[in-house]
């Protein structure tokens, strides 16, 4: 199998989000070039945004907290949307925590405007002329939130080293938004908010 050439490369500035379109069979690779940066990844089928990748349905589908390489994420209609095809990070990714939003930062004591993954998603989708009534729970790539035996959560710095990448293949035509998480009050971003790189490539062919 051989991967074909790069189709698109998008730099996602720290604290911002960017959108890419994936035809079925194409791949999206998210890289933390500096290391330690969490990315909130959202995916929708087509441009109408009526069906989205669902963390809850994926957990039920797989009987595990996060897919292994070769396994699929599913939508709120329980249809496959993305397949995890490669992961060069330590494999710590989260499917429990919702996207940060203005209310989250207010609860953390922020009184001035603060970027958030929820608002980054809305801004990225604005170019489609669509409004999003509810922000879906994202796939939090490179985010380490372990669960202890008593059910408690720990918010640990991302262990992803510089250059770590995770790659997904589209099962169906999709819109994908990646937010370089702006969280700077809880220490999930190991070096503070940093940029991410998103690349779209052709899928593998025999």
């Amino acid at each position: 199998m051989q991967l074909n050439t790069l189709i698109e490369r998008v730099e996602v500035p720290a604290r911002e989000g960017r959108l890419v379109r994936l035809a079925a069979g194409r791949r999206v690779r998210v890289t933390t070039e500096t290391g330690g940066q969490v990315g909130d990844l959202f995916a929708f089928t087509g441009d109408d945004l009526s069906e989205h990748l669902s963390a809850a349905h994926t957990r039920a589908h797989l009987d595990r907290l996060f897919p292994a390489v070769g396994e699929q994420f599913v939508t709120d209609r329980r249809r496959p949307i993305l397949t995890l095809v490669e992961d060069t990070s330590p494999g710590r990714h989260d499917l429990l925590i919702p996207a940060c939003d203005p209310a989250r930062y207010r609860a953390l004591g922020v009184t001035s405007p603060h970027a958030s993954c929820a608002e980054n998603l809305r801004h990225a989708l604005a170019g489609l002329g669509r409004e999003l009534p509810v922000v879906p729970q994202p796939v939090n790539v490179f985010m380490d939130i372990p669960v202890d035996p008593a059910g408690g959560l720990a918010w640990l710095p991302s262990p992803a080293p510089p250059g770590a990448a995770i790659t997904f293949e589209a099962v169906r035509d999709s819109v994908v938004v990646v937010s370089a998480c702006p969280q700077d009050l809880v220490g999930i971003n190991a070096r503070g908010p940093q940029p991410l790189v998103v690349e779209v490539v052709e899928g593998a062919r025999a």
Side-chain angles (χ1 to χ4, degrees), residues 62-143:
L62 295 173
D63 293 325
R64 55 190 294 144
L65 284 177
F66 196 87
V69 171
E71 295 180 332
Q72 293 179 326
F73 298 82
V74 301
T75 71
D76 53 321
R77 299 180 190 173
R78 302 185 189 271
R79 299 196 301 165
I81 183 169
L82 298 177
T83 302
L84 177 59
V85 294
E86 186 177 10
D87 186 4
T88 66
S89 80
R92 303 301 297 174
H93 312 286
D94 169 71
L95 278 182
L96 294 176
I97 303 302
C100 59
D101 54 27
R104 169 67 165 156
Y105 289 107
R106 287 195 297 271
L108 291 171
V110 176
T111 57
S112 57
H114 194 292
S116 71
C117 290
E119 292 304 297
N120 287 346
L121 172 64
R122 294 186 189 279
H123 293 157
L125 294 175
L128 299 180
R130 305 281 183 176
E131 291 189 7
L132 195 64
V134 177
V135 174
Q137 185 180 339
V139 177
N140 297 305
V141 298
F142 312 129
M143 184 169 169

Side-chain angles (χ1 to χ4, degrees), residues 10-13 15-21 40-44 47 49 116-132 135 175-180 198:
V10 177
E11 294 189 11
V12 184
R15 305 175 185 268
E16 296 185 16
R18 294 292 185 269
L19 177 151
V20 295
R21 286 181 170 85
D40 283 33
L41 182 145
F42 306 86
F44 304 85
D47 284 353
L49 310 184
S116 71
C117 290
E119 292 304 297
N120 287 346
L121 172 64
R122 294 186 189 279
H123 293 157
L125 294 175
L128 299 180
R130 305 281 183 176
E131 291 189 7
L132 195 64
V135 174
V175 169
V176 172
V177 174
V178 176
S179 171
V198 175

Side-chain angles (χ1 to χ4, degrees), residues 27-42:
R27 296 180 173 187
V28 60
R29 178 167 56 236
V30 182
T31 304
T32 171
E33 291 190 332
T34 60
Q37 174 61 40
V38 169
D40 283 33
L41 182 145
F42 306 86

Side-chain angles (χ1 to χ4, degrees), residues 14-15 32 34-38 157 181-195:
R15 305 175 185 268
T32 171
T34 60
Q37 174 61 40
V38 169
C181 184
Q183 179 59 262
D184 52 7
L185 300 173
V186 177
I188 57 171
N189 290 315
R191 296 168 179 82
Q194 301 289 323

